[in-house]
Amino acid sequence: MDILAFLAQGFAVALEPQNLLLAFIGCVIGTLIGALPGLGPVNGVALMIPLSFNFSLPATGALILLVSVYYGCMYGGRISSIVLNIPGDEPAMMTTLDGYPMALQGRGGEALGLSAVASFVGAGVATLGLALFAPLLVQFAIRFGPAEYFALFVLAFATIGGVTGGSLVKSFIAAFLGLLLGSVGIDAVSGVPRYTFGLYELYDGIDFIVALVGLFAISECLIYLEDIRGTSRPTLTLGSAMPGVRSAGRCAPTIARGSLIGFVAGVLPGAGAALGSFLAYMLEKRWVGRNGRFGQGDPRGVAAPEAGNNAAAGGALIPMLSLGIPGSGTTAILLALLLSMNITPGPLLFEQQPEMVWGLVAALVIGNFVLLVLNVPLVSLFAKVLQAPGWFLMPMVVMVAFVGVYSLNNSAFDLYMMLGFGVLGYALRKLEIPTVPVVLGLLLGGQMEFNLRRAMSISGGDWSILWNSGISVGIYLFAVILIVAGLAYAWLIRGRLQ
């Protein structure tokens, strides 16, 4: 009954005209950004954070806007996967396997309609899980002390290979770089400047938002400038999305299985939507066996990964809100927003600001229906965005980035920092070093160091306090299990590509 009361309070917040408008705007913008190949939810959310500060949005409104963009990007990522055979983001990679063959067969509209319904169900399962399980996780997290929180941060970094799906060594190099960047500024205990090089602008540390926009948005523009090609784009007749809505009924068991698998994958720290999409597709393929035509345009090959990645996207919000540990790259960006507003996610968030948490849950329910209404009748309109030339889209991205970052502090230094992080992000991507671990190191490094120092102060310098409790030992064991799972996932991916 408490959950129902909190949900009623949340809907009262979400149905306020301003929050309702922000949810709608976020859904539309997110769908458009998600449809653009290469941008994806991480870049979309990172771009919108400076704008939320520019318009002086309250914390609840800003979070509703960005999470709506997040959900919209997860919906929109399937459009370029099906129409162009180019994943809008990493989780949409599996959708190309059967979505594009359906489009070549003249069933593109059916694939888009089916994927919209599967995304709706997957996101709905995740939102329900967020309402039911996040409060339970909070009750457990209340028992955490500094040593247990330090173990959680170790878990976040130990499983970062699962987020990136790439080389574990390169992931740890990136995480170390993020930790190094996170140590810039005045030391909170000794008051000594660290790595500031005499620049007073760095005494407060590196601004999360400036770093994020540079690492993702600016580096994406640099990659685009390098990869300009004069190749023509395929033109397909999409048709109506209604056949896809009808086929969703026949794919209902597939959607249900994919949603549950994706939700579990999303809740695991370091797993994320990519793993949810991959597991949902591969397990459904195993389940169907010889009765399927996976890879040749089987509708179940579209329904399973779309349900899985959207359920995982919502599930990743649970550890972020209840423990302060991001479950994916995009939730790491959302964590940056909350920290920049002096809001610390964790067990106390549900007690101190329930209107924000439950307003977010209610806004997700509303936004999910908005996305379904937008994506079924307007699939052809959204698909046409893909025909816009890159020379028009990328300057718009750069303009939004510069205006948004400058508006944060009216500082030209921030613009130079953004460009510097853009070059850094470009270099990392050319070296195939993931940027998400850099973000996590920058965001979590300060809190990780703070909890380590608190634990050492309590124990008088005895390191055994870090593994004395059963909770800490369990978290360390869980980290080992997820590292092994991440290595197995990377091995499976390589095996499928060979």
Side-chain angles (χ1 to χ4, degrees):
M1 294 300 295
D2 288 341
I3 291 179
L4 294 178
F6 283 130
L7 277 176
Q9 180 185 4
F11 274 104
V13 174
L15 291 174
E16 293 178 3
Q18 179 183 356
N19 291 335
L20 203 57
L21 179 62
L22 289 173
F24 177 78
I25 292 174
C27 289
V28 174
I29 293 176
T31 303
L32 293 173
I33 291 176
L36 299 176
L39 288 182
V42 174
N43 291 322
V45 173
L47 267 177
M48 295 304 295
I49 286 181
L51 293 181
S52 67
F53 281 97
N54 190 32
F55 289 102
S56 302
L57 294 178
T60 301
L63 193 59
I64 287 175
L65 172 66
L66 295 182
V67 174
S68 297
V69 171
Y70 179 25
Y71 266 33
C73 286
M74 299 307 298
Y75 269 76
R78 79 201 196 285
I79 297 177
S80 58
S81 299
I82 294 171
V83 177
L84 298 181
N85 199 31
I86 302 174
D89 52 15
E90 185 181 355
M93 176 182 64
M94 305 306 294
T95 307
T96 63
L97 300 181
D98 285 275
Y100 189 65
M102 288 183 69
L104 293 177
Q105 298 165 15
R107 300 158 60 201
E110 177 185 349
L112 289 169
L114 173 60
S115 64
V117 176
S119 298
F120 172 79
V121 176
V125 168
T127 304
L128 178 63
L130 175 62
L132 293 177
F133 296 113
L136 298 178
L137 190 57
V138 165
Q139 295 300 319
F140 175 72
I142 291 176
R143 305 177 186 177
F144 281 35
E148 288 76 15
Y149 271 109
F150 176 78
L152 273 180
F153 289 119
V154 172
L155 171 65
F157 287 109
T159 57
I160 195 61
V163 173
T164 61
S167 167
L168 197 60
V169 174
K170 291 183 177 181
S171 296
F172 281 129
I173 291 174
F176 177 78
L177 176 60
L179 288 171
L180 181 65
L181 293 172
S183 65
V184 173
I186 299 292
D187 181 81
V189 177
S190 65
V192 175
R194 300 187 299 190
Y195 309 115
T196 59
F197 305 102
L199 298 173
Y200 293 106
E201 293 87 350
L202 293 178
Y203 274 28
D204 289 331
I206 295 174
D207 193 301
F208 297 143
I209 313 304
V210 174
L212 291 173
V213 174
L215 280 173
F216 294 103
I218 301 300
S219 68
E220 185 64 39
C221 294
L222 294 176
I223 292 290
Y224 168 78
L225 290 175
E226 182 186 34
D227 292 340
I228 291 178
R229 297 288 185 272
T231 57
S232 60
R233 297 177 176 178
T235 302
L236 302 174
T237 302
L238 296 178
S240 172
M242 294 312 297
V245 176
R246 290 191 291 268
S247 66
R250 298 190 294 272
C251 295
T254 296
I255 295 173
R257 287 189 289 267
S259 298
L260 292 176
I261 293 169
F263 177 72
V264 173
V267 172
L268 299 177
L275 180 60
S277 174
F278 176 79
L279 287 179
Y281 184 90
M282 295 306 299
L283 292 178
E284 186 63 26
K285 184 177 180 180
R286 296 288 185 186
W287 181 277
V288 173
R290 296 181 179 179
N291 296 324
R293 298 176 60 251
F294 283 76
Q296 303 174 39
D298 193 314
R300 289 166 294 190
V302 174
E306 283 302 307
N309 68 35
N310 281 271
L317 292 173
I318 293 180
M320 191 273 284
L321 291 173
S322 57
L323 298 177
I325 301 296
S328 66
T330 310
T331 52
I333 311 296
L334 295 173
L335 178 63
L337 169 72
L338 294 176
L339 293 176
S340 63
M341 292 184 168
N342 296 319
I343 298 172
T344 303
L348 295 181
L349 180 65
F350 285 73
E351 294 183 8
Q352 296 174 349
Q353 294 184 309
E355 70 286 346
M356 184 183 75
V357 175
W358 293 101
L360 173 63
V361 173
L364 290 178
V365 175
I366 296 171
N368 204 23
F369 280 96
V370 170
L371 284 166
L372 181 65
V373 173
L374 284 174
N375 279 267
V376 172
L378 300 179
V379 287
S380 298
L381 177 62
F382 283 127
K384 289 186 182 195
V385 174
L386 300 177
Q387 304 303 321
W391 57 262
F392 172 76
L393 292 174
M394 287 305 171
M396 295 295 292
V397 170
V398 173
M399 182 186 71
V400 170
F402 269 77
V403 172
V405 166
Y406 184 78
S407 66
L408 292 176
N409 301 305
N410 295 326
S411 169
F413 183 81
D414 287 347
L415 297 179
Y416 294 129
M417 285 289 292
M418 178 187 69
L419 292 174
F421 273 100
V423 174
L424 174 63
Y426 171 80
L428 292 176
R429 293 173 67 173
K430 296 300 294 182
L431 295 171
E432 297 183 352
I433 296 177
T435 54
V436 169
V438 179
V439 173
L440 287 180
L442 184 60
L443 291 178
L444 303 181
Q447 286 296 316
M448 186 178 185
E449 179 187 8
F450 176 72
N451 281 283
L452 175 62
R453 288 191 173 189
R454 284 184 62 198
M456 291 294 98
S457 298
I458 292 172
S459 67
D462 184 2
W463 288 88
S464 65
I465 190 177
L466 298 178
W467 54 83
N468 271 346
S469 73
I471 294 177
S472 298
V473 172
I475 292 174
Y476 291 133
L477 289 176
F478 189 41
V480 173
I481 292 172
L482 289 183
I483 288 175
V484 174
L487 291 173
Y489 170 58
W491 178 79
L492 284 174
I493 287 290
R494 286 195 296 268
R496 298 299 298 180
L497 294 178
Q498 290 177 353

PDB file of all heavy atoms in Angstrom, residues 167-200:
ATOM      1  N   SER A 167      37.980  -4.631 -24.703  1.00  0.00           N
ATOM      2  CA  SER A 167      39.141  -5.147 -23.993  1.00  0.00           C
ATOM      3  C   SER A 167      39.086  -4.738 -22.528  1.00  0.00           C
ATOM      4  O   SER A 167      38.893  -3.561 -22.195  1.00  0.00           O
ATOM      5  CB  SER A 167      40.420  -4.614 -24.640  1.00  0.00           C
ATOM      6  OG  SER A 167      41.530  -4.854 -23.814  1.00  0.00           O
ATOM      7  N   LEU A 168      39.272  -5.722 -21.641  1.00  0.00           N
ATOM      8  CA  LEU A 168      39.247  -5.434 -20.213  1.00  0.00           C
ATOM      9  C   LEU A 168      40.430  -4.554 -19.819  1.00  0.00           C
ATOM     10  O   LEU A 168      40.301  -3.665 -18.975  1.00  0.00           O
ATOM     11  CB  LEU A 168      39.265  -6.746 -19.431  1.00  0.00           C
ATOM     12  CG  LEU A 168      38.848  -6.687 -17.957  1.00  0.00           C
ATOM     13  CD1 LEU A 168      37.434  -6.169 -17.827  1.00  0.00           C
ATOM     14  CD2 LEU A 168      38.980  -8.062 -17.319  1.00  0.00           C
ATOM     15  N   VAL A 169      41.582  -4.789 -20.439  1.00  0.00           N
ATOM     16  CA  VAL A 169      42.770  -3.988 -20.138  1.00  0.00           C
ATOM     17  C   VAL A 169      42.537  -2.533 -20.510  1.00  0.00           C
ATOM     18  O   VAL A 169      42.817  -1.612 -19.728  1.00  0.00           O
ATOM     19  CB  VAL A 169      44.007  -4.548 -20.873  1.00  0.00           C
ATOM     20  CG1 VAL A 169      45.208  -3.629 -20.682  1.00  0.00           C
ATOM     21  CG2 VAL A 169      44.329  -5.956 -20.379  1.00  0.00           C
ATOM     22  N   LYS A 170      41.999  -2.297 -21.702  1.00  0.00           N
ATOM     23  CA  LYS A 170      41.733  -0.925 -22.131  1.00  0.00           C
ATOM     24  C   LYS A 170      40.667  -0.268 -21.260  1.00  0.00           C
ATOM     25  O   LYS A 170      40.716   0.940 -21.004  1.00  0.00           O
ATOM     26  CB  LYS A 170      41.306  -0.908 -23.599  1.00  0.00           C
ATOM     27  CG  LYS A 170      42.436  -1.261 -24.561  1.00  0.00           C
ATOM     28  CD  LYS A 170      41.988  -1.157 -26.008  1.00  0.00           C
ATOM     29  CE  LYS A 170      43.139  -1.449 -26.963  1.00  0.00           C
ATOM     30  NZ  LYS A 170      42.737  -1.343 -28.380  1.00  0.00           N
ATOM     31  N   SER A 171      39.697  -1.047 -20.813  1.00  0.00           N
ATOM     32  CA  SER A 171      38.665  -0.504 -19.936  1.00  0.00           C
ATOM     33  C   SER A 171      39.267  -0.031 -18.618  1.00  0.00           C
ATOM     34  O   SER A 171      38.917   1.031 -18.103  1.00  0.00           O
ATOM     35  CB  SER A 171      37.582  -1.556 -19.672  1.00  0.00           C
ATOM     36  OG  SER A 171      36.904  -1.909 -20.857  1.00  0.00           O
ATOM     37  N   PHE A 172      40.199  -0.815 -18.065  1.00  0.00           N
ATOM     38  CA  PHE A 172      40.834  -0.426 -16.810  1.00  0.00           C
ATOM     39  C   PHE A 172      41.767   0.766 -17.006  1.00  0.00           C
ATOM     40  O   PHE A 172      41.907   1.610 -16.106  1.00  0.00           O
ATOM     41  CB  PHE A 172      41.592  -1.611 -16.208  1.00  0.00           C
ATOM     42  CG  PHE A 172      40.703  -2.589 -15.494  1.00  0.00           C
ATOM     43  CD1 PHE A 172      40.764  -3.938 -15.786  1.00  0.00           C
ATOM     44  CD2 PHE A 172      39.798  -2.164 -14.534  1.00  0.00           C
ATOM     45  CE1 PHE A 172      39.949  -4.844 -15.138  1.00  0.00           C
ATOM     46  CE2 PHE A 172      38.978  -3.052 -13.877  1.00  0.00           C
ATOM     47  CZ  PHE A 172      39.045  -4.408 -14.177  1.00  0.00           C
ATOM     48  N   ILE A 173      42.416   0.858 -18.155  1.00  0.00           N
ATOM     49  CA  ILE A 173      43.238   2.040 -18.451  1.00  0.00           C
ATOM     50  C   ILE A 173      42.364   3.287 -18.462  1.00  0.00           C
ATOM     51  O   ILE A 173      42.729   4.330 -17.887  1.00  0.00           O
ATOM     52  CB  ILE A 173      43.955   1.861 -19.809  1.00  0.00           C
ATOM     53  CG1 ILE A 173      45.026   0.775 -19.710  1.00  0.00           C
ATOM     54  CG2 ILE A 173      44.579   3.183 -20.261  1.00  0.00           C
ATOM     55  CD1 ILE A 173      45.689   0.441 -21.036  1.00  0.00           C
ATOM     56  N   ALA A 174      41.205   3.178 -19.104  1.00  0.00           N
ATOM     57  CA  ALA A 174      40.290   4.315 -19.159  1.00  0.00           C
ATOM     58  C   ALA A 174      39.775   4.670 -17.770  1.00  0.00           C
ATOM     59  O   ALA A 174      39.652   5.854 -17.419  1.00  0.00           O
ATOM     60  CB  ALA A 174      39.128   3.999 -20.099  1.00  0.00           C
ATOM     61  N   ALA A 175      39.456   3.650 -16.955  1.00  0.00           N
ATOM     62  CA  ALA A 175      38.969   3.915 -15.596  1.00  0.00           C
ATOM     63  C   ALA A 175      40.047   4.597 -14.760  1.00  0.00           C
ATOM     64  O   ALA A 175      39.754   5.521 -13.987  1.00  0.00           O
ATOM     65  CB  ALA A 175      38.537   2.612 -14.938  1.00  0.00           C
ATOM     66  N   PHE A 176      41.308   4.162 -14.909  1.00  0.00           N
ATOM     67  CA  PHE A 176      42.412   4.803 -14.184  1.00  0.00           C
ATOM     68  C   PHE A 176      42.557   6.260 -14.604  1.00  0.00           C
ATOM     69  O   PHE A 176      42.786   7.141 -13.763  1.00  0.00           O
ATOM     70  CB  PHE A 176      43.716   4.051 -14.447  1.00  0.00           C
ATOM     71  CG  PHE A 176      44.923   4.676 -13.800  1.00  0.00           C
ATOM     72  CD1 PHE A 176      45.169   4.513 -12.450  1.00  0.00           C
ATOM     73  CD2 PHE A 176      45.797   5.451 -14.549  1.00  0.00           C
ATOM     74  CE1 PHE A 176      46.274   5.112 -11.848  1.00  0.00           C
ATOM     75  CE2 PHE A 176      46.902   6.047 -13.967  1.00  0.00           C
ATOM     76  CZ  PHE A 176      47.144   5.871 -12.602  1.00  0.00           C
ATOM     77  N   LEU A 177      42.411   6.532 -15.904  1.00  0.00           N
ATOM     78  CA  LEU A 177      42.473   7.909 -16.382  1.00  0.00           C
ATOM     79  C   LEU A 177      41.346   8.739 -15.760  1.00  0.00           C
ATOM     80  O   LEU A 177      41.563   9.888 -15.352  1.00  0.00           O
ATOM     81  CB  LEU A 177      42.365   7.935 -17.905  1.00  0.00           C
ATOM     82  CG  LEU A 177      42.326   9.313 -18.578  1.00  0.00           C
ATOM     83  CD1 LEU A 177      43.591  10.106 -18.263  1.00  0.00           C
ATOM     84  CD2 LEU A 177      42.149   9.177 -20.084  1.00  0.00           C
ATOM     85  N   GLY A 178      40.141   8.158 -15.676  1.00  0.00           N
ATOM     86  CA  GLY A 178      39.035   8.867 -15.048  1.00  0.00           C
ATOM     87  C   GLY A 178      39.288   9.150 -13.581  1.00  0.00           C
ATOM     88  O   GLY A 178      38.974  10.242 -13.075  1.00  0.00           O
ATOM     89  N   LEU A 179      39.862   8.181 -12.859  1.00  0.00           N
ATOM     90  CA  LEU A 179      40.194   8.394 -11.445  1.00  0.00           C
ATOM     91  C   LEU A 179      41.234   9.504 -11.293  1.00  0.00           C
ATOM     92  O   LEU A 179      41.158  10.318 -10.354  1.00  0.00           O
ATOM     93  CB  LEU A 179      40.720   7.091 -10.833  1.00  0.00           C
ATOM     94  CG  LEU A 179      39.693   5.982 -10.590  1.00  0.00           C
ATOM     95  CD1 LEU A 179      40.383   4.697 -10.183  1.00  0.00           C
ATOM     96  CD2 LEU A 179      38.699   6.412  -9.519  1.00  0.00           C
ATOM     97  N   LEU A 180      42.195   9.528 -12.203  1.00  0.00           N
ATOM     98  CA  LEU A 180      43.208  10.582 -12.164  1.00  0.00           C
ATOM     99  C   LEU A 180      42.573  11.952 -12.380  1.00  0.00           C
ATOM    100  O   LEU A 180      42.863  12.913 -11.650  1.00  0.00           O
ATOM    101  CB  LEU A 180      44.273  10.312 -13.229  1.00  0.00           C
ATOM    102  CG  LEU A 180      45.434  11.312 -13.302  1.00  0.00           C
ATOM    103  CD1 LEU A 180      46.254  11.262 -12.036  1.00  0.00           C
ATOM    104  CD2 LEU A 180      46.320  10.998 -14.511  1.00  0.00           C
ATOM    105  N   LEU A 181      41.682  12.059 -13.358  1.00  0.00           N
ATOM    106  CA  LEU A 181      40.997  13.325 -13.611  1.00  0.00           C
ATOM    107  C   LEU A 181      40.098  13.706 -12.439  1.00  0.00           C
ATOM    108  O   LEU A 181      39.933  14.887 -12.128  1.00  0.00           O
ATOM    109  CB  LEU A 181      40.169  13.218 -14.897  1.00  0.00           C
ATOM    110  CG  LEU A 181      40.952  13.058 -16.196  1.00  0.00           C
ATOM    111  CD1 LEU A 181      40.013  12.757 -17.358  1.00  0.00           C
ATOM    112  CD2 LEU A 181      41.761  14.317 -16.492  1.00  0.00           C
ATOM    113  N   GLY A 182      39.514  12.711 -11.773  1.00  0.00           N
ATOM    114  CA  GLY A 182      38.647  12.985 -10.636  1.00  0.00           C
ATOM    115  C   GLY A 182      39.394  13.496  -9.418  1.00  0.00           C
ATOM    116  O   GLY A 182      38.774  14.050  -8.495  1.00  0.00           O
ATOM    117  N   SER A 183      40.708  13.312  -9.381  1.00  0.00           N
ATOM    118  CA  SER A 183      41.491  13.790  -8.234  1.00  0.00           C
ATOM    119  C   SER A 183      41.963  15.226  -8.396  1.00  0.00           C
ATOM    120  O   SER A 183      42.602  15.777  -7.494  1.00  0.00           O
ATOM    121  CB  SER A 183      42.700  12.864  -8.018  1.00  0.00           C
ATOM    122  OG  SER A 183      43.595  12.940  -9.123  1.00  0.00           O
ATOM    123  N   VAL A 184      41.666  15.846  -9.539  1.00  0.00           N
ATOM    124  CA  VAL A 184      42.079  17.231  -9.765  1.00  0.00           C
ATOM    125  C   VAL A 184      41.281  18.160  -8.845  1.00  0.00           C
ATOM    126  O   VAL A 184      40.057  18.003  -8.683  1.00  0.00           O
ATOM    127  CB  VAL A 184      41.866  17.629 -11.234  1.00  0.00           C
ATOM    128  CG1 VAL A 184      42.123  19.119 -11.436  1.00  0.00           C
ATOM    129  CG2 VAL A 184      42.768  16.802 -12.143  1.00  0.00           C
ATOM    130  N   GLY A 185      41.960  19.140  -8.237  1.00  0.00           N
ATOM    131  CA  GLY A 185      41.283  20.113  -7.391  1.00  0.00           C
ATOM    132  C   GLY A 185      41.827  20.115  -5.975  1.00  0.00           C
ATOM    133  O   GLY A 185      42.851  19.487  -5.676  1.00  0.00           O
ATOM    134  N   ILE A 186      41.147  20.825  -5.083  1.00  0.00           N
ATOM    135  CA  ILE A 186      41.563  20.912  -3.688  1.00  0.00           C
ATOM    136  C   ILE A 186      41.229  19.611  -2.980  1.00  0.00           C
ATOM    137  O   ILE A 186      40.093  19.138  -3.031  1.00  0.00           O
ATOM    138  CB  ILE A 186      40.857  22.093  -2.987  1.00  0.00           C
ATOM    139  CG1 ILE A 186      41.234  23.418  -3.659  1.00  0.00           C
ATOM    140  CG2 ILE A 186      41.208  22.125  -1.506  1.00  0.00           C
ATOM    141  CD1 ILE A 186      42.671  23.817  -3.467  1.00  0.00           C
ATOM    142  N   ASP A 187      42.214  19.027  -2.290  1.00  0.00           N
ATOM    143  CA  ASP A 187      41.971  17.814  -1.519  1.00  0.00           C
ATOM    144  C   ASP A 187      41.019  18.131  -0.361  1.00  0.00           C
ATOM    145  O   ASP A 187      41.231  19.072   0.403  1.00  0.00           O
ATOM    146  CB  ASP A 187      43.285  17.267  -0.985  1.00  0.00           C
ATOM    147  CG  ASP A 187      43.100  15.992  -0.194  1.00  0.00           C
ATOM    148  OD1 ASP A 187      42.980  14.922  -0.812  1.00  0.00           O
ATOM    149  OD2 ASP A 187      43.045  16.062   1.039  1.00  0.00           O
ATOM    150  N   ALA A 188      39.955  17.315  -0.243  1.00  0.00           N
ATOM    151  CA  ALA A 188      38.910  17.601   0.748  1.00  0.00           C
ATOM    152  C   ALA A 188      39.401  17.456   2.179  1.00  0.00           C
ATOM    153  O   ALA A 188      38.831  18.060   3.099  1.00  0.00           O
ATOM    154  CB  ALA A 188      37.720  16.668   0.521  1.00  0.00           C
ATOM    155  N   VAL A 189      40.459  16.677   2.416  1.00  0.00           N
ATOM    156  CA  VAL A 189      40.944  16.435   3.772  1.00  0.00           C
ATOM    157  C   VAL A 189      42.098  17.367   4.125  1.00  0.00           C
ATOM    158  O   VAL A 189      42.085  18.046   5.155  1.00  0.00           O
ATOM    159  CB  VAL A 189      41.372  14.971   3.934  1.00  0.00           C
ATOM    160  CG1 VAL A 189      41.959  14.728   5.332  1.00  0.00           C
ATOM    161  CG2 VAL A 189      40.173  14.042   3.693  1.00  0.00           C
ATOM    162  N   SER A 190      43.114  17.412   3.267  1.00  0.00           N
ATOM    163  CA  SER A 190      44.315  18.193   3.584  1.00  0.00           C
ATOM    164  C   SER A 190      44.243  19.632   3.101  1.00  0.00           C
ATOM    165  O   SER A 190      44.995  20.486   3.578  1.00  0.00           O
ATOM    166  CB  SER A 190      45.545  17.520   2.965  1.00  0.00           C
ATOM    167  OG  SER A 190      45.461  17.544   1.540  1.00  0.00           O
ATOM    168  N   GLY A 191      43.349  19.929   2.119  1.00  0.00           N
ATOM    169  CA  GLY A 191      43.258  21.280   1.573  1.00  0.00           C
ATOM    170  C   GLY A 191      44.376  21.636   0.619  1.00  0.00           C
ATOM    171  O   GLY A 191      44.545  22.802   0.262  1.00  0.00           O
ATOM    172  N   VAL A 192      45.119  20.642   0.154  1.00  0.00           N
ATOM    173  CA  VAL A 192      46.248  20.868  -0.755  1.00  0.00           C
ATOM    174  C   VAL A 192      45.755  20.764  -2.195  1.00  0.00           C
ATOM    175  O   VAL A 192      45.040  19.819  -2.551  1.00  0.00           O
ATOM    176  CB  VAL A 192      47.364  19.832  -0.504  1.00  0.00           C
ATOM    177  CG1 VAL A 192      48.489  19.983  -1.523  1.00  0.00           C
ATOM    178  CG2 VAL A 192      47.882  19.953   0.914  1.00  0.00           C
ATOM    179  N   PRO A 193      46.129  21.715  -3.073  1.00  0.00           N
ATOM    180  CA  PRO A 193      45.745  21.605  -4.492  1.00  0.00           C
ATOM    181  C   PRO A 193      46.444  20.413  -5.144  1.00  0.00           C
ATOM    182  O   PRO A 193      47.636  20.186  -4.920  1.00  0.00           O
ATOM    183  CB  PRO A 193      46.226  22.929  -5.103  1.00  0.00           C
ATOM    184  CG  PRO A 193      46.423  23.842  -3.943  1.00  0.00           C
ATOM    185  CD  PRO A 193      46.816  22.986  -2.789  1.00  0.00           C
ATOM    186  N   ARG A 194      45.690  19.680  -5.954  1.00  0.00           N
ATOM    187  CA  ARG A 194      46.258  18.509  -6.634  1.00  0.00           C
ATOM    188  C   ARG A 194      46.059  18.657  -8.135  1.00  0.00           C
ATOM    189  O   ARG A 194      44.939  18.843  -8.615  1.00  0.00           O
ATOM    190  CB  ARG A 194      45.587  17.219  -6.147  1.00  0.00           C
ATOM    191  CG  ARG A 194      45.745  16.966  -4.673  1.00  0.00           C
ATOM    192  CD  ARG A 194      45.214  15.588  -4.262  1.00  0.00           C
ATOM    193  NE  ARG A 194      43.805  15.417  -4.531  1.00  0.00           N
ATOM    194  CZ  ARG A 194      43.090  14.376  -4.082  1.00  0.00           C
ATOM    195  NH1 ARG A 194      43.672  13.447  -3.352  1.00  0.00           N
ATOM    196  NH2 ARG A 194      41.802  14.280  -4.361  1.00  0.00           N
ATOM    197  N   TYR A 195      47.148  18.583  -8.890  1.00  0.00           N
ATOM    198  CA  TYR A 195      47.132  18.571 -10.356  1.00  0.00           C
ATOM    199  C   TYR A 195      46.399  19.782 -10.935  1.00  0.00           C
ATOM    200  O   TYR A 195      45.740  19.682 -11.962  1.00  0.00           O
ATOM    201  CB  TYR A 195      46.470  17.289 -10.886  1.00  0.00           C
ATOM    202  CG  TYR A 195      47.024  16.030 -10.286  1.00  0.00           C
ATOM    203  CD1 TYR A 195      46.229  15.217  -9.492  1.00  0.00           C
ATOM    204  CD2 TYR A 195      48.351  15.663 -10.494  1.00  0.00           C
ATOM    205  CE1 TYR A 195      46.738  14.054  -8.918  1.00  0.00           C
ATOM    206  CE2 TYR A 195      48.873  14.508  -9.925  1.00  0.00           C
ATOM    207  CZ  TYR A 195      48.061  13.715  -9.141  1.00  0.00           C
ATOM    208  OH  TYR A 195      48.571  12.569  -8.566  1.00  0.00           O
ATOM    209  N   THR A 196      46.526  20.933 -10.294  1.00  0.00           N
ATOM    210  CA  THR A 196      45.856  22.140 -10.798  1.00  0.00           C
ATOM    211  C   THR A 196      46.783  22.971 -11.680  1.00  0.00           C
ATOM    212  O   THR A 196      46.295  23.862 -12.397  1.00  0.00           O
ATOM    213  CB  THR A 196      45.363  23.010  -9.637  1.00  0.00           C
ATOM    214  OG1 THR A 196      46.482  23.381  -8.819  1.00  0.00           O
ATOM    215  CG2 THR A 196      44.344  22.251  -8.792  1.00  0.00           C
ATOM    216  N   PHE A 197      48.103  22.742 -11.618  1.00  0.00           N
ATOM    217  CA  PHE A 197      49.096  23.451 -12.443  1.00  0.00           C
ATOM    218  C   PHE A 197      48.969  24.969 -12.295  1.00  0.00           C
ATOM    219  O   PHE A 197      49.203  25.724 -13.241  1.00  0.00           O
ATOM    220  CB  PHE A 197      48.949  23.061 -13.914  1.00  0.00           C
ATOM    221  CG  PHE A 197      49.036  21.586 -14.154  1.00  0.00           C
ATOM    222  CD1 PHE A 197      47.887  20.832 -14.376  1.00  0.00           C
ATOM    223  CD2 PHE A 197      50.269  20.939 -14.135  1.00  0.00           C
ATOM    224  CE1 PHE A 197      47.961  19.468 -14.585  1.00  0.00           C
ATOM    225  CE2 PHE A 197      50.349  19.567 -14.344  1.00  0.00           C
ATOM    226  CZ  PHE A 197      49.198  18.828 -14.564  1.00  0.00           C
ATOM    227  N   GLY A 198      48.576  25.402 -11.100  1.00  0.00           N
ATOM    228  CA  GLY A 198      48.466  26.826 -10.828  1.00  0.00           C
ATOM    229  C   GLY A 198      47.247  27.506 -11.405  1.00  0.00           C
ATOM    230  O   GLY A 198      47.115  28.730 -11.307  1.00  0.00           O
ATOM    231  N   LEU A 199      46.350  26.763 -12.002  1.00  0.00           N
ATOM    232  CA  LEU A 199      45.129  27.332 -12.586  1.00  0.00           C
ATOM    233  C   LEU A 199      44.019  27.353 -11.534  1.00  0.00           C
ATOM    234  O   LEU A 199      43.568  26.302 -11.074  1.00  0.00           O
ATOM    235  CB  LEU A 199      44.687  26.514 -13.809  1.00  0.00           C
ATOM    236  CG  LEU A 199      45.672  26.462 -14.975  1.00  0.00           C
ATOM    237  CD1 LEU A 199      45.189  25.486 -16.042  1.00  0.00           C
ATOM    238  CD2 LEU A 199      45.843  27.856 -15.577  1.00  0.00           C
ATOM    239  N   TYR A 200      43.580  28.554 -11.181  1.00  0.00           N
ATOM    240  CA  TYR A 200      42.543  28.674 -10.148  1.00  0.00           C
ATOM    241  C   TYR A 200      41.212  28.067 -10.607  1.00  0.00           C
ATOM    242  O   TYR A 200      40.393  27.651  -9.791  1.00  0.00           O
ATOM    243  CB  TYR A 200      42.343  30.141  -9.772  1.00  0.00           C
ATOM    244  CG  TYR A 200      43.543  30.748  -9.082  1.00  0.00           C
ATOM    245  CD1 TYR A 200      44.374  31.647  -9.735  1.00  0.00           C
ATOM    246  CD2 TYR A 200      43.863  30.399  -7.770  1.00  0.00           C
ATOM    247  CE1 TYR A 200      45.492  32.191  -9.109  1.00  0.00           C
ATOM    248  CE2 TYR A 200      44.972  30.937  -7.129  1.00  0.00           C
ATOM    249  CZ  TYR A 200      45.779  31.825  -7.799  1.00  0.00           C
ATOM    250  OH  TYR A 200      46.884  32.340  -7.180  1.00  0.00           O
TER     251      TYR A 200
END
